[in-house]
Amino acid sequence: MPENDRQLHFNLFLMGVGHHEAAWRHPRTDPAQAADIGHFQDLARQAEAASFDSVFLADGVEARSDGGWGLISHFEPFTLLTALAVVTERIGLIGTVSTGFSEPYNLARQFASLDHISRGRAGWNIVTSAGDRAAQNFGRDANQEHALRYERADEFLDVVTALWDSWEDGALLLDRTTGAFADPDRVHEIDHTGTHFRVRGPLNIPRSPQGHPLLVQAGSSGSGRAFAARRAEAVFTAQQTLEEGQSFYADLKRQAAAAGRDPQQVKILPGVVPVIGSTEAEARRLDEELDALISPARAVSVLSGVLGVDLTDHPLDAPLPPLPPVTEINGAKSRFELVRDLAERDGLTLRQLIGRLGGGRGHQVSVGTPEQIADHIETWFTRGAADGFNVMPPILPDGLTDFVEQVLPILRKRGLFREGYTGRTLREHYGLHRPAGRWSTAA
């Protein structure tokens, strides 16, 4: 579509009772809601009433012994998203599943099922899982090397998409007169034999409404960008400054074009934590209240895991110690670089750094009035840094209510966000094509 007709895309990132790591301690939240399905259903309905493109669930398959935010934040994605599907009609439902600790057949079946149940609203956030703790829950001592994880992910996706295409559109006949359940000539074994997987196929569920559920990716390392440019249709990313956002946006669109894809068919949505107040002072007061509730010991423990450096005994009011080069990091390389660059650019002490990361784990935190939040979003959108945003309210449900009731009307008045849905499927919301099956004559 013409540049001046672009519309923002908004995804609501569901995270317990808020994205600030101390949200559960703030008096405006009820931490018990993180285990209440009604809480998530209410959030999804509110986001749908506001015409958000989608809701999104992160996921991990490990927990620290001290619990932390991960233990109280969310249910297993397929279970929760299916529960959201039955109380909503239009909003997309995106779940995170790792290629490192899943099998392609099971995952293809689960997402195809979710797409059928939701009538075309499913999306898969593809991650490779970075930590050794996760690997140790699946019979391994340590995780695979970074490049190998992406090699496995590439083959994993080849298998999954082949399985989604193993039933042609229209293969299911259900002809009671002839007794033909399906056309056997339009249901195909995939007979995949590769480095990591051997899968015969076909899938035991017909092709889903979207053909393929939407493919989302959230890694920003060199390998992550290359994978996204080849395979992803939406990218959830984290940048701290407009310049970093513009650089990432331009590079990923360029790589997508070089891979033979239409760059407009790859939507880039940075995360943003909107801390909203009726005045800037009120917004800053909420931000400071949340930061004051951070547990330094727990935050330092988490940061140590991100950086691969034990900071337990490091002085809180001193700068970070020397860090290893990113080439030695086998975890989340892009998050390592983001944290390192943030600390170096702004000259932060360890205490200041954990405060800055507490709001959004490296995503940009925008603190201000509704107009200032809208200005921030418009700037990134119109200056080549975003196609939309992964909205991460610091507290829930109040942070979502504030964004919907105070920020969205401003963006609509500026002509930047739609008044209502124009399609029914998640692909239609994002303006993305429905892929033709590989057995289709139109493919």
Side-chain angles (χ1 to χ4, degrees), residues 350-404:
L350 177 56
R351 187 189 305 276
Q352 291 168 330
L353 181 60
I354 62 177
R356 291 280 288 274
L357 296 174
R361 303 174 305 285
H363 293 275
Q364 55 187 285
V365 179
S366 183
V367 182
T369 65
E371 290 79 9
Q372 289 172 319
I373 303 296
D375 289 345
H376 175 87
I377 288 171
E378 180 175 5
T379 297
W380 278 61
F381 181 60
T382 59
R383 294 180 61 182
D387 294 309
F389 285 86
N390 203 9
V391 180
M392 306 166 60
I395 56 175
L396 288 167
D398 286 4
L400 174 60
T401 301
D402 291 344
F403 186 83
V404 166

Side-chain angles (χ1 to χ4, degrees), residues 12 16 28 44 52 75 109 115 117 119 123 161 214 261 348 366 386 401:
L12 173 62
R28 287 178 62 187
F52 272 60
F75 298 106
R109 185 185 185 200
D115 206 44
I117 289 168
R119 296 180 173 86
T161 53
L214 184 76
R261 302 180 63 198
L348 302 178
S366 183
T401 301

Side-chain angles (χ1 to χ4, degrees), residues 315-374:
L316 283 172
D317 295 310
L320 289 180
L323 299 177
V326 69
T327 53
E328 296 181 11
I329 299 300
N330 193 39
K333 291 180 181 289
S334 60
R335 194 52 52 95
F336 171 89
E337 291 182 304
L338 184 151
V339 172
R340 179 202 62 197
D341 294 348
L342 173 63
E344 291 178 354
R345 182 181 65 242
D346 295 350
L348 302 178
T349 65
L350 177 56
R351 187 189 305 276
Q352 291 168 330
L353 181 60
I354 62 177
R356 291 280 288 274
L357 296 174
R361 303 174 305 285
H363 293 275
Q364 55 187 285
V365 179
S366 183
V367 182
T369 65
E371 290 79 9
Q372 289 172 319
I373 303 296

Side-chain angles (χ1 to χ4, degrees), residues 203-224:
L203 198 62
N204 60 349
I205 183 170
R207 200 160 193 256
S208 72
Q210 294 187 108
H212 298 174
L214 184 76
L215 298 176
V216 184
Q217 192 266 356
S220 298
S221 66
S223 298

Side-chain angles (χ1 to χ4, degrees), residues 171-213:
L172 187 65
L173 300 177
L174 301 179
D175 190 328
R176 290 194 273 190
T177 301
T178 64
F181 183 82
D183 182 347
D185 292 333
R186 301 175 74 182
V187 182
H188 307 273
E189 294 182 357
I190 69 169
D191 291 324
H192 176 90
T193 300
T195 303
H196 301 279
F197 305 106
R198 292 177 57 199
V199 181
R200 178 177 179 177
L203 198 62
N204 60 349
I205 183 170
R207 200 160 193 256
S208 72
Q210 294 187 108
H212 298 174

